[in-house]
Amino acid sequence: MHDTPTIDRRTLLGGIATAAAVAASPARGTEANAITAASAGELAEAIRSRRYSAVEVVEAHLARIAAVNPRLNAVVQVTAESARREAAAADAALARGEAPKPLHGVPVTIKDTLETAGVVCTGGTLGRAGFVPKADATAVARLRAAGAIVLGKTNVPELAGALETDNLVYGRTNNPYDLARTPGGSSGGEAAIVAAGGSPLGLGTDAGGSIRVPAHYCGLAALKPTSGRIPRTGQFPRPMGARNSVFHVSLIARRVDDLALALPVVAGPDFSDYTIVDMPLRDPRAVVLRGLKLACFDDDGASAPTPEIAAAIRSAARAFAEAGLAVEERRLPDADKAAAIYYDMTPGDGGAGTRAFLRSIGTDRISPLFEQSLSSRAAPAMPDITAALAAFNRWDAFRNAQLAFLHGYDAVLSPVLPYVAPPHGTSFDPMLQRGAGYAQNHNLTGWPAVAVRVGTSHEGMPIGVQVAAHPWREDVALALGRHLKASFGGFSPPPL
């Protein structure tokens, strides 16, 4: 039994109309606003202490989705009925004296490339417009087992193939800070609804900046974990082949502490994704910042940042220095080559395999955005196997050089991208494509990276930075992210 078996927009909007009544009176509206402004950790504590019921929390978030989603088009399937049932069950469990779970009653949203049992999962492609998975993706199942309540699915570009969010199934998603701009991609729907207060915590993915770029564009905190930390089982399309390791299931929220709260829930082997390693997780609260050594750079040598983003990096570096870190201005080796190395591995067969795959699942029309992706990234085809091997050899050399550099530092500070959220339809501009190397760098290495808001551009758009740490040291990246949040205030709500 599923809540939204078709893509009928009237059904979608009707499923949340009832929730909008929660905010009808001023008193209830004020309380609802307090709930939707709270972090996932704060909500978990409030539900445990009975200050809020899970039902109140879910209703407040459904009402917020009803209020903002018509302007954003971020949530594309709303699971209102099941969310209400699960919230009532969560409250009943506490009333019986059962021990609360880590995310007991906390609402979450899920990117539409991660499968959800009984709820349509399209991956943004027409061939799956009515596809209903029978099982949850591993990370989704783990969130549910920890007590989280899924509110719905969020929009993506087709096959998660762009740094902006638009497709032929659901249409375009808008940035809550400026509706004429993109919230990014491919986790653009997640970023937009989390920033707008419709969800405190989102589950997304990151293969080339797909969680950190939307976080930067929408003023949020995001974690791309170490490659091999969180299973990709149930991700569509499932990561396979030579570029497998660039794909990461990832987390996005308004607060860095929520990333730290959710990471232990979703991490660890599931014995279905063979790449996942059973490595211990360390506590970010135990990290002592004083004495850590940080490399920082504001220009990767391929795409110069805006003056405001360069200034944001310098401000972040000063905040770390004032906390007792040893900060050195040093650029990662071959950082200027990151985007070229990333894109050099994508042509392969020129996109023929991707087109055949889409036909096999019933997609007879490809979105204009994904056509741009195929034409700019997959074509022309590699001339022979020698060219393919050379591209992957360059990747190996890049990873080795960067790891040797990191041996002298605990973390690296840099921009997420060298520009703020651009207007819709511009993400394949060659200049913007070159700028993607800042984010892609850490998909190529597989290092954990946290993005955090540290400023605002003259247009009123958020500015984020990223800190990347040693493999398996998410604790260091999260601790540095927490310090940035404390120093600069972190999330600031959009005027929506």
Side-chain angles (χ1 to χ4, degrees):
M1 190 78 180
H2 52 87
D3 295 298
T4 46
T6 69
I7 315 297
D8 187 319
R9 303 301 284 177
R10 290 171 297 179
T11 301
L12 174 62
L13 295 174
I16 55 179
T18 303
V22 170
S25 70
R28 297 190 78 181
T30 300
E31 189 71 4
N33 290 341
I35 290 172
T36 57
S39 69
E42 289 167 344
L43 292 172
E45 174 56 33
I47 291 168
R48 282 194 297 269
S49 66
R50 315 287 184 90
R51 185 156 53 91
Y52 295 139
S53 69
V55 167
E56 287 177 297
V57 170
V58 163
E59 290 292 354
H61 284 89
L62 289 173
R64 183 62 178 165
I65 292 170
V68 301
N69 204 50
R71 284 170 286 173
L72 298 178
N73 191 35
V75 183
V76 292
Q77 292 287 323
V78 179
T79 55
E81 293 180 12
S82 62
R84 291 183 174 115
R85 288 195 304 270
E86 291 166 20
D91 289 334
L94 289 181
R96 290 192 299 269
E98 294 182 17
K101 299 170 182 176
L103 294 171
H104 197 95
V106 175
V108 299
T109 40
I110 309 295
K111 183 178 181 177
D112 197 35
T113 55
L114 293 165
E115 295 193 338
T116 39
V119 183
V120 169
C121 177
T122 74
T125 194
L126 287 171
R128 282 173 56 112
F131 178 76
V132 180
K134 295 180 180 178
D136 284 331
T138 293
V140 175
R142 288 175 173 175
L143 286 175
R144 291 191 199 271
I149 296 173
V150 174
L151 296 177
K153 303 297 292 293
T154 55
N155 207 20
V156 297
E158 188 163 10
L159 298 193
L163 289 178
E164 60 184 297
T165 297
D166 193 358
N167 60 63
L168 295 179
V169 184
Y170 297 117
R172 188 182 76 192
T173 299
N174 300 320
N175 190 306
Y177 291 88
D178 181 345
L179 300 181
R181 296 173 186 257
T182 179
S186 57
S187 305
E190 274 305 316
I193 201 60
V194 172
S199 171
L201 178 67
L203 188 67
T205 61
D206 190 320
S210 291
I211 203 82
R212 288 161 293 143
V213 168
H216 164 58
Y217 284 175
C218 295
L220 299 171
L223 167 67
K224 181 199 75 64
T226 305
S227 178
R229 178 67 84 181
I230 303 175
R232 287 86 47 85
T233 308
Q235 182 176 339
F236 171 81
R238 183 161 184 169
M240 299 184 75
R243 294 176 67 249
N244 187 317
S245 66
V246 305
F247 294 87
H248 306 68
V249 170
S250 303
L251 297 160
I252 192 164
R254 295 186 293 272
R255 313 281 180 85
V256 176
D257 284 346
D258 287 343
L259 308 175
L261 173 66
L263 178 60
V265 170
V266 295
D270 67 348
F271 300 95
S272 179
D273 182 343
Y274 79 92
T275 69
I276 306 307
V277 179
D278 191 13
M279 287 290 288
L281 276 168
R282 307 189 200 192
D283 188 347
R285 294 169 297 183
V287 174
V288 177
L289 297 187
R290 181 170 294 277
L292 294 182
K293 193 170 182 181
L294 182 77
C296 73
F297 65 97
D298 60 20
D299 190 331
D300 68 357
S303 182
T306 67
E308 291 168 310
I309 289 176
I313 293 295
R314 292 192 294 272
S315 295
R318 282 195 298 273
F320 284 134
E322 290 166 1
L325 282 80
V327 179
E328 293 184 6
E329 286 192 37
R330 287 197 65 191
R331 191 165 73 198
L332 283 164
D334 297 326
D336 59 325
K337 299 181 177 67
I341 289 168
Y342 187 92
Y343 291 128
D344 281 353
M345 296 185 295
T346 59
D349 61 3
T354 299
R355 292 180 188 278
F357 168 72
L358 287 169
R359 288 194 297 271
S360 76
I361 62 170
T363 296
D364 56 4
R365 280 192 301 136
I366 298 174
S367 69
L369 191 65
F370 197 60
E371 282 286 2
Q372 281 186 285
S373 180
L374 288 174
S375 62
S376 65
R377 297 176 181 175
M382 288 182 176
D384 52 40
I385 189 64
T386 301
L389 290 173
F392 283 94
N393 286 341
R394 287 192 291 274
W395 183 17
D396 283 342
F398 176 87
R399 286 187 281 192
N400 285 335
Q402 296 227 335
L403 191 62
F405 174 92
L406 193 63
H407 184 63
Y409 298 93
D410 295 289
V412 180
L413 166 70
S414 73
V416 178
L417 286 180
Y419 43 81
V420 298
H424 293 294
T426 63
S427 67
F428 284 100
D429 180 287
M431 182 189 72
L432 299 187
Q433 288 286 293
R434 285 195 299 274
Y438 290 90
Q440 291 163 343
N441 194 107
H442 301 310
N443 294 93
L444 293 171
T445 64
W447 300 348
V450 169
V452 183
R453 181 176 183 168
V454 299
T456 305
S457 75
H458 68 276
E459 309 102 322
M461 300 306 295
I463 293 174
V465 302
Q466 64 179 344
V467 282
H470 284 240
W472 313 113
R473 294 307 304 268
E474 287 89 353
D475 60 320
V476 172
L478 288 164
L480 293 170
R482 290 180 73 194
H483 183 70
L484 290 175
K485 188 271 177 190
S487 299
F488 297 97
F491 176 76
S492 180
L496 192 67

